[in-house]
Structure formats: C-alpha cells, structure tokens
C-alpha cells in the first residue's frame, strides 16, 4: 500500500476532520493510504505542538515514510501558497517523492497580482514587474515556477484521480 502525505493549510481551517474524511473517501479502496500531518507516527507518537521544531520533526517523519505528497497550493495569507506547505513540497521533491498539487484558485499568479493592483500593466496589457520593480514570473501558472513543474489540479477530487491514474 502506498502512503500519501496530505499537505496544506486545511489543517488550520474549521472542519479539518471533514476534509480528512473527504480525502479518505476519494482514495477508499485504491491501495493508497492518506497520511495527515496531525496523525500519530507509525510508532504511536502523537504530534507535539509545544514548539515549532517538534511539529517540523513530526511532519518530516511522516514525509519520510510516504511515497507521494498531495499538497494544496491555494493562495493562503495573500497571493501565494502556505509557506509550510511549500517547504514540505521541496522536502518531498528532494527526497524523490512523487508530487501532486491542487488549488481552489487556478488564476495565473500574474493575473492575481494585476487584480489586486500589485502589478503595473502597460497599454498593451503587458507587465513583468510588480509595483516595487520585482520581476514576476509569468508562466501562466497559479504558482511560482518551482512549483509549476508539478501536476496542478483544479480540485482535491481531480488531484486524487490523477494520483490514482498514475498508480494504474
């Protein structure tokens, strides 16, 4: 049975248990076992939330034991994904894990910044710099180029289906 680490800001939202139930339902009977950051480790160790280092060690232990990471990269606290989730994606990628992403907002990052009036656009509709003069990567993706190389699905259901399709 393959284990899938389920990353994302869902852990901070109300009804996190409902989200976990949805994931379990989508993967039920597939031979894929979802692992959530808040789950106990395989030795029964519960997550210690008393300090950041303990939380990180717990999550990395889960990631080490998993084959795949499924991470939500929806905008969080602004226009980019949750920083902790991005860290977990990078860690999983460095360990050679399969990476799948999903977002509830697939608006290209450039368009998101324009809509928020954070990017200058000239008369021809072009713009490559934000208001501070920083280059904005424009690959038409909802995420930064370093994440855009991974399959990015438009919903949790679509991402689970992509993972199941890979397994077959």
């Amino acid at each position: 049975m393959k284990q899938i680490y389920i990353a994302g800001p869902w852990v901070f939202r109300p009804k996190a248990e409902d989200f976990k139930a949805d994931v379990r339902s989508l993967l039920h009977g597939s031979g894929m076992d979802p692992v959530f950051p808040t789950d106990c480790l395989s030795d029964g160790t519960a997550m210690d939330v008393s300090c950041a280092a303990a939380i990180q060690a717990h999550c990395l232990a889960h990631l080490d034991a998993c084959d795949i990471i499924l991470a939500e990269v929806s905008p969080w606290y602004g226009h980019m994904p949750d920083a902790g989730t991005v860290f977990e994606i990078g860690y999983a990628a460095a360990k050679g894990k399969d990476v799948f992403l999903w977002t509830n907002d697939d608006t290209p990052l450039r368009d998101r910044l324009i809509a928020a009036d954070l990017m200058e656009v000239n008369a021809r509709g072009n713009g490559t710099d934000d208001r501070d003069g920083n280059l904005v990567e424009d690959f038409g993706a909802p995420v930064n180029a370093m994440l855009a190389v991974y399959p990015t699905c438009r919903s949790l259901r679509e991402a689970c289906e992509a993972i199941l399709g890979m397994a077959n």
Side-chain angles (χ1 to χ4, degrees):
M1 179 170 291
K2 287 198 173 199
Q3 293 190 309
I4 304 172
Y5 184 81
I6 311 298
W10 62 266
V11 298
F12 305 114
R13 293 189 183 117
K15 300 185 180 181
E17 291 303 315
D18 291 348
F19 174 83
K20 289 166 70 171
D22 289 345
V23 172
R24 285 188 188 101
S25 175
L26 289 166
L27 297 174
H28 180 74
S30 68
M32 302 281 183
D33 183 27
V35 174
F36 303 95
T38 53
D39 291 348
C40 289
L41 297 177
S42 59
D43 67 1
T45 303
M47 180 182 265
D48 173 1
V49 296
S50 66
C51 70
I55 293 169
Q56 183 191 53
H58 186 91
C59 292
L60 295 183
H62 272 316
L63 276 164
D64 286 339
C66 288
D67 306 290
I68 300 168
I69 182 172
L70 171 56
E72 180 186 354
V73 292
S74 302
W76 185 252
Y77 293 137
H79 304 284
M80 300 293 282
D82 167 60
T85 303
V86 172
F87 175 88
E88 291 171 323
I89 294 165
Y91 183 88
K95 294 284 190 163
K97 313 287 183 178
D98 289 319
V99 176
F100 289 84
L101 309 176
W102 72 276
T103 180
N104 62 20
D105 181 355
D106 65 350
T107 304
L109 179 58
R110 176 186 180 274
D111 295 348
R112 223 182 279 144
L113 294 175
I114 291 169
D117 200 27
L118 296 172
M119 187 171 171
E120 296 287 341
V121 179
N122 65 25
R124 291 187 296 194
N126 297 323
T128 57
D129 298 331
D130 69 10
R131 292 212 179 266
D132 296 325
N134 301 308
L135 178 67
V136 175
E137 296 174 327
D138 183 16
F139 295 100
V143 291
N144 175 279
M146 298 300 283
L147 298 177
V149 299
Y150 300 109
T152 304
C153 301
R154 295 182 55 160
S155 69
L156 174 62
R157 175 177 297 283
E158 185 179 305
C160 288
E161 290 170 357
I163 291 170
L164 296 176
M166 175 201 70
N168 294 330

